[in-house]
Amino acid sequence: MANAINTCFLLSLLVIFLTSSLASAAQYNVLSYGAKPDGRTDSTKAFLAAWTRACGSTSRSTIYVPPGRYFLRNVQFIGPCKNNAIVVRIDGSLLAPTNYWVIGNAASWISFQHVDGVSVSGGILDGHGSGFWGCKQSGKNCPSGATTLSLSNSKNIVISGLHSLNSQLFHIVVNGCRNVRIQGVTITASGTSPNTDGIHVQLSSGVRILNSKIGTGDDCVSVGPGTTNLWIENVVCGPGHGISIGSLGRDLKEPGVQNVTVKTVTFTGTQNGLRIKTWGRPSNGFVKNVLFQHAIMTNVQNPIVIDQNYCPDNKNCPGQASGVKISGVTYQDIHGTSATKVAVKFDCSKRSPCTGIRMENVRLTYNNQPAGASCNNADGTASGFIQPSSCL
Ligand SMILES: *[C@@H]1O[C@H](CO)[C@@H](O)[C@H](O)[C@H]1NC(C)=O
């Protein structure tokens, strides 16, 4: 009897548990809020209505975007939300307006702000940026341009399996965030498109960029001031300007960059491979504890480069010396081909020279010959096989 009562009691607990967890897996389908997958109808309001429901839910929720093409103007998904488990599952394509003026004066096309626990999976985000690039290149009057996907002041974010195409400006920007994982994304824009960086990270900690393929007209990944604990692994880069820490040191007071790991990356036909770049201006910024490991270069113009004399148009760089202090940068197992004679270039600041540069097993060739290296104000050590021979 006691056993039967117990079993009955446990069964009813199970039923309560199952029904409540089923009820909590609320799904908000954008079609239910008036989105039209026809590529023409403005679905912005429908997406926002689904967000309002998902964000206002006190339990985990999913926003579902079925297959089809959705036309969207600027969309801001703003928190804080009442739950910290929102999934945005996109099986369709989101299309920006072809008239670049419509979104071009907002900072971003799609943004998440002040959210905690959001994951976006799948989807094609087409920024339709080519008209805007043409405008910039023709020197006409143009809007300032929009980032395709911006994540700001948020934490515990996952972006996976997304394809970002032809952004007006940067494709993905992570700003003021903690614990962000970007994985299995593909980012594509013409190799001649201006300022179309793949992923830009700044003022953020614990960002991981994994298993992704990025080919654009600017940096594959750019790392701005205040980035700490960044991990980049398994990234295929090209065309574009490579992976760049910087530009840094534009401002006198600037948070530094610390603890960056870049491993197992390949660069094909890019302008740079692994770059650190700072303005030739006074600054209290710094770069420390960086590991570049297992990189393959194919026909890269500047495979390994530190440039502390960045000063476009030679304007506003008094004395041309960077204040940014670079220390503890390791290059380990980097090999392949350089498209120019000088494959390793450390052009550090005369005011704050680079220290603790370590090279281990580097082999870079130019035209089937050992490439060259050049050092300015750079101090460090080399070990293992080193070609070009070290100038440290
Ligand atoms: C460096 O960053 C990684 C994540 O990229 C983190 O796991 C590790 O704990 C950090 N190391 C230090 C010393 O903060």
Side-chain angles (χ1 to χ4, degrees), residues 159-172:
I159 306 289
S160 65
L162 177 138
H163 187 170
S164 178
L165 203 61
N166 300 333
S167 180
Q168 287 188 353
L169 227 52
F170 296 5
H171 285 77
I172 299 178

Side-chain angles (χ1 to χ4, degrees), residues 38-93:
D38 61 7
R40 288 181 290 114
T41 310
D42 185 351
S43 293
T44 312
K45 279 194 177 133
F47 275 63
L48 284 174
W51 173 258
T52 301
R53 298 298 291 274
C55 182
S57 160
T58 51
S59 52
R60 57 175 51 247
S61 55
T62 297
I63 293 175
Y64 180 55
V65 181
R69 293 155 56 81
Y70 301 84
F71 173 81
L72 294 180
R73 293 163 186 268
N74 306 83
V75 218
Q76 297 183 315
F77 299 115
I78 299 179
C81 295
K82 294 208 167 106
N83 74 87
N84 56 10
I86 297 178
V87 174
V88 183
R89 210 179 107 211
I90 310 174
D91 283 341
S93 304

Side-chain angles (χ1 to χ4, degrees), residues 49-362:
W51 173 258
T52 301
R53 298 298 291 274
C55 182
S57 160
T58 51
S59 52
R60 57 175 51 247
S61 55
T62 297
I63 293 175
Y64 180 55
V65 181
R69 293 155 56 81
Y70 301 84
F71 173 81
L72 294 180
R73 293 163 186 268
N74 306 83
V75 218
Q76 297 183 315
F77 299 115
I78 299 179
C81 295
K82 294 208 167 106
N83 74 87
N84 56 10
I86 297 178
V87 174
V88 183
R89 210 179 107 211
I90 310 174
D91 283 341
S93 304
L94 313 187
L95 313 177
T98 43
N99 174 358
Y100 51 81
W101 284 99
V102 178
I103 62 165
N105 273 323
S108 54
W109 173 34
I110 298 169
S111 70
F112 289 89
Q113 305 170 28
H114 302 283
V115 298
D116 176 3
V118 169
S119 103
V120 179
S121 78
I124 296 172
L125 271 50
D126 187 345
H128 277 143
S130 63
F132 175 72
W133 311 334
C135 179
K136 282 202 344 189
Q137 283 162 339
S138 72
K140 280 192 296 208
N141 174 32
C142 316
S144 50
T147 284
T148 281
L149 175 64
S150 137
L151 312 170
S152 64
N153 305 310
S154 295
K155 57 186 178 186
N156 307 319
I157 307 292
V158 180
I159 306 289
S160 65
L162 177 138
H163 187 170
S164 178
L165 203 61
N166 300 333
S167 180
Q168 287 188 353
L169 227 52
F170 296 5
H171 285 77
I172 299 178
V173 170
V174 180
N175 176 35
C177 293
R178 266 199 299 134
N179 189 24
V180 175
R181 182 156 42 98
I182 298 175
Q183 63 181 19
V185 304
T186 306
I187 297 177
T188 319
S190 150
T192 57
S193 57
N195 309 111
T196 51
D197 297 43
I199 302 174
H200 177 77
V201 181
Q202 62 178 23
L203 299 171
S204 295
S205 181
V207 176
R208 281 172 292 169
I209 299 169
L210 312 169
N211 310 330
S212 294
K213 189 173 180 310
I214 304 173
T216 70
D218 210 309
D219 296 333
C220 286
V221 179
S222 54
V223 179
T227 301
T228 60
N229 302 357
L230 170 67
W231 191 279
I232 298 172
E233 184 169 359
N234 269 323
V235 169
V236 173
C237 171
H241 294 180
I243 293 181
S244 184
I245 297 179
S247 313
L248 301 175
R250 189 163 59 136
D251 297 330
L252 188 56
K253 289 187 77 173
E254 195 180 89
V257 171
Q258 194 167 350
N259 186 19
V260 174
T261 302
V262 178
K263 68 187 286 186
T264 320
V265 285
T266 68
F267 298 92
T268 306
T270 51
Q271 186 193 75
N272 309 290
L274 305 164
R275 174 169 67 167
I276 300 177
K277 175 179 168 189
T278 76
W279 284 73
R281 287 163 58 89
S283 174
N284 71 341
F286 62 84
V287 177
K288 60 179 163 192
N289 298 343
V290 177
L291 173 62
F292 294 119
Q293 193 183 48
H294 311 315
I296 300 172
M297 311 276 172
T298 306
N299 199 32
V300 173
Q301 288 174 43
N302 306 293
I304 292 179
V305 56
I306 296 180
D307 172 10
Q308 293 212 261
N309 291 298
Y310 179 60
C311 192
D313 306 325
N314 270 323
K315 272 204 213 114
N316 305 317
C317 304
Q320 304 276 322
S322 174
V324 175
K325 173 76 194 156
I326 298 175
S327 62
V329 182
T330 300
Y331 300 86
Q332 218 171 48
D333 181 29
I334 316 287
H335 59 101
T337 58
S338 174
T340 67
K341 206 168 162 63
V342 179
V344 176
K345 187 174 171 188
F346 296 129
D347 190 10
C348 295
S349 167
K350 58 176 184 275
R351 207 173 132 241
S352 51
C354 299
T355 56
I357 309 274
R358 280 182 290 274
M359 301 192 79
E360 199 184 315
N361 297 321
V362 172

